[in-house]
Amino acid sequence: MGSKRFHRGKSAIKILLVGVFLTALTLVAANVPGAQAGRAQEAANRVMPALELEAARLKLSVGAPVFIRIFKQDAVLELWLKGS
């Protein structure tokens, strides 16, 4: 299994960061009672299909291990996602 490296690939980074955010949001929502949990789940349900399609196009999967490196001085964000 290889890994994909995206260096300044704004579209891929944006999509994958949204995926990481939605995964975290879904995990938090599972522990939040009431209306907030419902709103979080609705957001995940609305965005997840497009996220999964884009990830599949890149031969990646939502929920795969992610490694992020940020170099502040160079203004570089590296996002590594384990490929399928």
Side-chain angles (χ1 to χ4, degrees), residues 1 3 8-10 13-16 18-20 22 26 34-35 41 57 59 61 64 68 71-72 76 82 84:
M1 299 210 182
S3 62
R8 297 181 190 203
K10 292 179 183 178
I13 289 174
K14 186 175 171 182
I15 289 165
L16 295 173
V18 168
V20 169
L22 285 175
T26 302
Q41 189 60 50
R57 186 181 71 76
K59 294 185 174 62
S61 63
I68 300 173
F71 301 93
K72 185 176 179 180
V76 172
K82 188 171 184 175
S84 51

Side-chain angles (χ1 to χ4, degrees), residues 58-80:
L58 297 169
K59 294 185 174 62
L60 302 169
S61 63
V62 175
V66 174
F67 179 73
I68 300 173
R69 292 193 324 174
I70 300 172
F71 301 93
K72 185 176 179 180
Q73 189 170 4
D74 297 329
V76 172
L77 181 144
E78 291 180 359
L79 182 68
W80 296 64

Side-chain angles (χ1 to χ4, degrees), residues 23-72:
T23 301
L25 186 64
T26 302
L27 292 174
V28 169
N31 296 316
V32 176
Q36 288 186 4
R39 288 179 59 208
Q41 189 60 50
E42 287 173 16
N45 291 342
R46 185 176 59 247
V47 176
M48 198 60 75
L51 179 65
E52 290 171 341
L53 284 173
E54 186 63 20
R57 186 181 71 76
L58 297 169
K59 294 185 174 62
L60 302 169
S61 63
V62 175
V66 174
F67 179 73
I68 300 173
R69 292 193 324 174
I70 300 172
F71 301 93
K72 185 176 179 180

